[in-house]
Each structure stands twice: as structure tokens, then as C-alpha cells.
Amino acid sequence: MTKQLIVRGAPQEYELKTKAWESLPSHLERRKIKNVLIIHGKDSWEAVKPHFPKLAISQNFHYYGGQCTDKAAEYFASLCINEKFDGIIAVGGGKVADLAKFTAYKAHLPIIILPTLAATCAAYTPLSVIYDETDVMIRYDIFPKATDLVLIDPEILLHSPKELMVAGIGDTLAKWYEASAIISQLDILPIEVQVAEFTAKKCRDILLQESTSALEAMENKKINQSFIDVVETNILLAGMVGGFGDEYGRTAGAHSIHDAMTVLPDSHKQLHGNKVAYGILVQLMIEKKLPEIEALLPFYHQLHLPTNLKDLQLQLTESDYQAVAERACAPEETIHLMKEPITPALIIEKMKELEKFTTN
């Protein structure tokens, strides 16, 4: 018997088209937004600033600070109240979107997201991943209200760093492996869960078939259909998996491994999606699915996704292994949604087996 699900299927409005950002003034006018806080990244903002439309309303630009923390959200929410902002616009990647959504929830304001990357589904989903001041992931919060508007200009994403797109592919690939690990345990699949399963499988199929062509589009700076498909897979389809499946479509082993890796300071230089991609292989080791790992390895090698700790430029001591394994097994971690009983000893064993399997 499945638990009661809450469907959070999509933002209120979502649009992908060339020069999509140019329609921002009319969207603000329709929403009667006249005084906005614009939260943005650093490098990404410098790259996309020329594309940000001129707005004939009051606007206040702020660098987000580099992390999505409780403290940062409190700061920006207070700013919204003091400056009487009536809307928030996020321009950037996943952490910018997460902080802006978190702030909008606290300040009870509409939130509009203009992604500069296709590295996560953060622009699509009504949740934020919260970190502490030392970059350790502490939780994710789900909000009772969808993002008001997502405007995606594929031309802008085409010129984003290719390694971030690859990390997004690694992150999104996990949707299938994590959702299927949970959904496969159900005797009856409600329609919502069927939608989550369908979109999760679609994520895997599109990425395995079209990622190479999409990355070639980025190298050639020329949009093709594969590029559009992979962008929408990383943002829209990935968001739909958890949006419809709720806890049956969110995360399982791969993301718990990612979360656990954040306790290692040396892991912070690695992109989120790369650590998740590694987590997929650890999860498959736990599930004893060696043929699936073998089938994935050529794809990983082609895209330069990490297949082991060496690829992540990490050397773990025994105490590091123990710290990661214990964090991955924390009671609130979604690794416990898997069928297998999970212990720190099992995680350490499987991480070490993966090293041998992929370095021989």
C-alpha cells in the first residue's frame, strides 16, 4: 500500500524558446509585479547580463552569496520585507534557484526563475536543498506552492560551461535508478507513480541516446534537437519524476551517497551531478547489479563522468569511509527506501568493491 502522495507536477508556467527572457517584462506586468529582488550568481551573471531584459520597474540586484543556507534565506527574506519587494527573480544555476525559492517561501512572494544552466531540475521543482555554512548538505525543504514562472532560453544554455551540462546529465540519470529502486517494491502503482516511473525511464533513455549529440551542439555553438531534448530532460522531465511520484520518485541510494560525500571537505570542489553519478554506481553495487554497471561504464567514460573515487580526485582513509558511510545511513536518508537493509559496513564494502571493479 502506497503512502498518500502529494502531486507537485509543474511550475505554474514554463516556457522554453529562443529569446524567452525578452518576454519577462510582459510576464511581470501580467502578475502586477512592480518592485523586484533579482538574485543572481557570479560568473553566470557576468556571462548572461547582456541578455537580461531592460525592466521599466523598480529592481534591486544581489549576488546570492555562494550557498543556500538558512541564514542567507533569512537575510534575503528580511530584505524583501524592508524594501517592500513584491516579487523575486532568480538568474543562475541550482543553488541560486534554491535560495530564491526558499526566500520566496519565507517572504510569501512570487518566484520567477531564469536558468543559466541545465545542471539540475531546481528551476522546476518546489523544493530547496539546504546546506550549512561549511557546505555540508543538511536537508531539503518542500514548499506548498509551485514556482510561478520558468523562462528558458536554450541559446543562453548553449553557451554555458559544458562540464556543468555533463554534471546535470549525471544527476538526471539517477532519476531512473533511484525511482525504480523504490517503485519496484510496490505491488500496486497509483497513476501518479506510473507517471513518475514513465518519466524516470524517459530520463535515462533520452540521456543515453542523445547526450553525445547534445554536447556536440555545445562544442559547435549550434542548437540541435538533442540539445533541446537533454535540456528539457535535465529540467522538466527530471522535475516531473519527483513532482508526480513524491517520495517514490525523489531520491534513494545515489543521492544519499552524494549527501554523505559532502562531509569530506575535499569533495566540495566536485560538482553535485558528478558525485551523484558516482552514487548511482555505488547504489547499483549495493543492489548487486554488476551487468547494469558494465552497461553504463562506456557512457560514463565517453562523458568523463566519475566511475570511482580516483576519478573524483579523492583518497579516503578508513575514518573517511566510516564518516561517509555513517552519514549515508543517517535515519532520515533516502537510502533506506531501497529494498536492501543498509548498514555503514555494507556501504564501505560496496564502495571498495566499486573501486576494484572500475580500476582493474
Side-chain angles (χ1 to χ4, degrees), residues 191-251:
I191 294 296
E192 302 94 321
V193 176
Q194 291 181 43
V195 172
E197 185 178 43
F198 173 82
T199 49
K201 187 170 187 301
K202 201 78 178 154
C203 284
R204 183 196 66 178
D205 293 350
I206 290 172
L207 294 179
L208 293 181
Q209 291 162 15
E210 300 191 49
S211 289
T212 303
S213 177
L215 294 170
E216 284 171 3
M218 296 187 82
E219 286 169 14
N220 301 329
K221 303 296 183 225
K222 190 170 176 60
I223 289 175
N224 58 24
Q225 190 57 48
S226 289
F227 178 75
I228 298 290
D229 289 349
V230 170
V231 164
E232 296 216 274
T233 298
N234 286 0
I235 297 174
L236 182 149
L237 274 183
M240 286 179 67
V241 179
F244 280 87
D246 204 0
E247 71 176 67
Y248 297 100
R250 293 210 188 280
T251 60

Side-chain angles (χ1 to χ4, degrees), residues 28 33 35-39 76-77 80 85-91 96-97 99-114 147-149:
L28 292 170
I33 295 173
N35 184 19
V36 291
L37 169 64
I38 298 163
I39 300 176
F76 281 115
C80 289
F85 294 127
D86 54 6
I88 299 173
I89 299 171
V91 185
V96 178
L99 179 59
K101 286 182 291 184
F102 195 15
T103 302
Y105 169 69
K106 285 178 174 291
H108 308 290
L109 290 176
I111 169 72
I112 294 169
I113 301 179
L114 279 56
T147 298
D148 293 79
L149 171 67

Side-chain angles (χ1 to χ4, degrees), residues 302-321:
Q302 193 172 15
L303 270 64
H304 303 293
L305 285 167
T307 62
N308 49 46
L309 294 169
K310 184 182 175 186
D311 290 347
L312 285 168
Q313 299 174 317
L314 291 172
Q315 288 184 308
L316 270 60
T317 63
E318 287 305 316
S319 62
D320 289 336
Y321 272 114

Side-chain angles (χ1 to χ4, degrees), residues 8 64 77 94 104 111 158 164 178 180 206 209 230 236 274 296-297 326 343:
R8 303 172 181 89
Y64 82 112
I111 169 72
L158 186 71
L164 293 173
E178 295 188 286
S180 63
I206 290 172
Q209 291 162 15
V230 170
L236 182 149
N274 288 347
L296 280 176
L297 288 180
E326 286 181 7
T343 63

Side-chain angles (χ1 to χ4, degrees), residues 35-317:
N35 184 19
V36 291
L37 169 64
I38 298 163
I39 300 176
H40 57 77
K42 187 178 282 182
D43 296 341
S44 63
W45 178 243
E46 290 306 313
V48 305
K49 198 159 45 171
H51 302 280
F52 192 79
K54 297 277 188 290
L55 303 178
I57 62 171
S58 179
Q59 52 203 302
N60 202 309
F61 294 85
H62 279 267
Y63 169 56
Y64 82 112
Q67 195 52 276
C68 180
T69 62
D70 286 299
K71 186 178 176 182
E74 286 292 344
Y75 167 77
F76 281 115
S78 296
L79 192 66
C80 289
I81 293 162
N82 294 337
E83 300 291 331
K84 295 183 168 54
F85 294 127
D86 54 6
I88 299 173
I89 299 171
V91 185
K95 286 184 178 176
V96 178
D98 278 359
L99 179 59
K101 286 182 291 184
F102 195 15
T103 302
Y105 169 69
K106 285 178 174 291
H108 308 290
L109 290 176
I111 169 72
I112 294 169
I113 301 179
L114 279 56
T116 59
L117 308 169
T120 72
C121 60
Y124 195 89
T125 54
L127 65 84
S128 293
V129 181
I130 318 296
Y131 291 77
D132 69 13
E133 308 298 326
T134 64
D135 271 3
V136 175
M137 183 270 189
I138 51 175
R139 69 180 193 278
Y140 66 84
D141 290 352
I142 301 174
F143 309 123
K145 180 180 166 298
T147 298
D148 293 79
L149 171 67
V150 178
L151 284 179
I152 302 173
D153 183 344
E155 195 69 44
I156 287 171
L157 301 188
L158 186 71
H159 292 85
S160 65
K162 195 174 99 170
E163 63 269 20
L164 293 173
M165 179 72 138
V166 171
I169 290 166
D171 190 29
T172 305
L173 188 64
K175 295 293 180 182
W176 167 249
Y177 294 100
E178 295 188 286
S180 63
I182 304 167
I183 293 171
S184 62
Q185 300 174 58
L186 300 177
D187 296 325
I188 297 169
L189 270 55
I191 294 296
E192 302 94 321
V193 176
Q194 291 181 43
V195 172
E197 185 178 43
F198 173 82
T199 49
K201 187 170 187 301
K202 201 78 178 154
C203 284
R204 183 196 66 178
D205 293 350
I206 290 172
L207 294 179
L208 293 181
Q209 291 162 15
E210 300 191 49
S211 289
T212 303
S213 177
L215 294 170
E216 284 171 3
M218 296 187 82
E219 286 169 14
N220 301 329
K221 303 296 183 225
K222 190 170 176 60
I223 289 175
N224 58 24
Q225 190 57 48
S226 289
F227 178 75
I228 298 290
D229 289 349
V230 170
V231 164
E232 296 216 274
T233 298
N234 286 0
I235 297 174
L236 182 149
L237 274 183
M240 286 179 67
V241 179
F244 280 87
D246 204 0
E247 71 176 67
Y248 297 100
R250 293 210 188 280
T251 60
H255 271 81
S256 286
I257 296 298
H258 161 275
D259 298 348
M261 302 280 279
T262 66
V263 304
L264 304 174
D266 285 351
S267 77
H268 298 168
K269 61 182 179 282
Q270 290 292 337
L271 295 168
H272 168 89
N274 288 347
K275 287 179 278 191
V276 173
Y278 165 76
I280 293 171
L281 301 182
V282 176
Q283 177 183 312
L284 290 171
M285 268 289 176
I286 292 169
E287 295 175 299
K288 300 187 174 76
K289 292 184 175 178
L290 294 183
E292 190 70 39
I293 296 175
E294 286 179 326
L296 280 176
L297 288 180
F299 178 76
Y300 271 56
H301 292 147
Q302 193 172 15
L303 270 64
H304 303 293
L305 285 167
T307 62
N308 49 46
L309 294 169
K310 184 182 175 186
D311 290 347
L312 285 168
Q313 299 174 317
L314 291 172
Q315 288 184 308
L316 270 60
T317 63

